[in-house]
Amino acid sequence: MFSEDLVAWNGTTLSGAGGSYVDGDAVGLGGGVLVENASGDWQPPAGLHVPATCDTTDVWNATR
């Protein structure tokens, strides 16, 4: 999960201050576990976006 004010996602490319990345690209990220073993109705905090196709059982938040 990324803060909406730090990155943009157009469905195929993740873009941010560090560059642009597509599926299969190697990236280095900082962050940590935001939620472990979340219920099926878990919603992200305000300002954070999780695509509907993502599994939200365990959520890791990228900070940079």
Side-chain angles (χ1 to χ4, degrees):
M1 179 180 325
F2 296 90
S3 296
E4 292 179 324
D5 61 336
L6 298 178
V7 298
W9 174 251
N10 70 7
T12 60
T13 305
L14 179 70
S15 301
S20 295
Y21 308 93
V22 296
D23 189 25
D25 287 348
V27 298
L29 302 169
V33 174
L34 181 64
V35 177
E36 288 184 289
N37 301 314
S39 64
D41 60 349
W42 178 84
Q43 294 294 312
L48 299 176
H49 172 72
V50 177
T53 57
C54 289
D55 177 8
T56 56
T57 303
D58 296 311
V59 179
W60 192 86
N61 185 45
T63 56
R64 53 182 166 140

